[in-house]
Amino acid sequence: MFQSLSANSPALKQLNKKVDAEPEKVEKAAQISIPMLMEALNRNTNNPQGAQSLAKALEQHQDDNVDNLEKFLQNVDTEDGSKILEHIFSNKKQAVQSNLSKTTGLKQDQVSSIMASLAPMILGFLGNQKKTQNLDADGVSSLTSLLSQNLQKNTGGSLFSMATKLLDANKDGSIIDDVLNIFGKFKKR
């Protein structure tokens, strides 16, 4: 199961160490990035070609150990993460990162590093699920859709809402544990 990325977690401290920024800003960037990345992946799988492409990419991440997020983030391949972001957002990558930079108060290179660290984590989780549940492209599309719906339900709105409101089901001030709880429920299956 995922560790929490809440304010004082070792995993969030590891992310903060990578970008050397105020922990609150790093947490906010992670809080916004995870639902945004998940929704973008879901939208990409809404057509058979996109679903097939993601299913193939997940095979490269199916054995990633995302159970220990601190260790995963310490060793994450951010070059791979940057390539993942290019595939997810294509020509909108810079705009997405610029908007997140403005929203969080972080520099764009810091946002880029955070997102390039989180993207492989999400693909690692999805890759694990693909392998464990023996999912084909349609199954991957259903999984991303279900995760995205759960995130939308918890935020009560659209992608913009997910990216700008705090997803905080348990009212502890952090959405990350709630997002990872959603992922964790799938991991147990």
Side-chain angles (χ1 to χ4, degrees):
M1 184 186 280
F2 284 110
Q3 293 171 229
S4 175
L5 273 176
S6 60
N8 294 316
S9 73
L12 189 67
K13 287 178 183 177
Q14 185 61 47
L15 254 185
N16 188 57
K17 189 176 180 181
K18 282 185 176 292
V19 299
D20 190 28
E22 296 173 39
E24 300 80 28
K25 291 180 180 181
V26 173
E27 182 180 20
K28 184 175 182 180
Q31 290 174 336
I32 296 169
S33 294
I34 290 175
M36 187 169 32
L37 287 164
M38 195 64 240
E39 177 60 15
L41 284 169
N42 179 50
R43 289 180 180 206
N44 290 345
T45 63
N46 284 338
N47 67 63
Q49 183 182 4
Q52 189 63 41
S53 178
L54 180 58
K56 186 175 180 179
L58 293 180
E59 291 172 9
Q60 298 170 14
H61 295 273
Q62 68 186 7
D63 294 319
D64 291 358
N65 183 359
V66 292
D67 290 332
N68 182 335
L69 285 183
E70 178 185 15
K71 186 175 179 179
F72 181 86
L73 292 171
Q74 182 177 5
N75 299 308
V76 70
D77 181 353
T78 53
E79 284 184 35
D80 182 46
S82 187
K83 291 176 188 173
I84 292 167
L85 294 173
E86 288 289 335
H87 289 289
I88 294 173
F89 296 116
S90 65
N91 62 349
K92 296 178 184 176
K93 177 183 166 190
Q94 294 302 321
V96 167
Q97 291 176 343
S98 177
N99 288 337
L100 187 55
S101 174
K102 290 174 188 172
T103 301
T104 61
L106 292 169
K107 296 176 186 170
Q108 193 161 338
D109 64 328
Q110 292 171 315
V111 166
S112 177
S113 182
I114 290 168
M115 291 182 76
S117 296
L118 294 175
M121 178 194 78
I122 291 171
L123 261 59
F125 167 76
L126 292 171
N128 287 184
Q129 292 304 300
K130 180 186 182 306
K131 181 180 179 181
T132 302
Q133 297 179 31
N134 196 28
L135 300 175
D136 60 7
D138 288 338
V140 168
S141 180
S142 294
L143 177 63
T144 61
S145 179
L146 189 56
L147 287 170
S148 185
Q149 286 172 8
N150 282 336
L151 290 172
Q152 286 179 347
K153 184 169 77 173
N154 288 332
T155 61
S158 67
L159 175 61
F160 177 78
S161 190
M162 280 191 286
T164 58
K165 288 183 180 178
L166 295 180
L167 173 63
D168 189 15
N170 60 3
K171 308 292 185 226
D172 68 350
S174 173
I175 65 161
I176 300 301
D177 55 340
D178 302 305
V179 172
L180 296 178
N181 261 346
I182 291 167
F183 287 159
K185 289 176 187 174
F186 286 96
K187 193 160 176 107
K188 290 179 184 177
R189 291 182 180 178

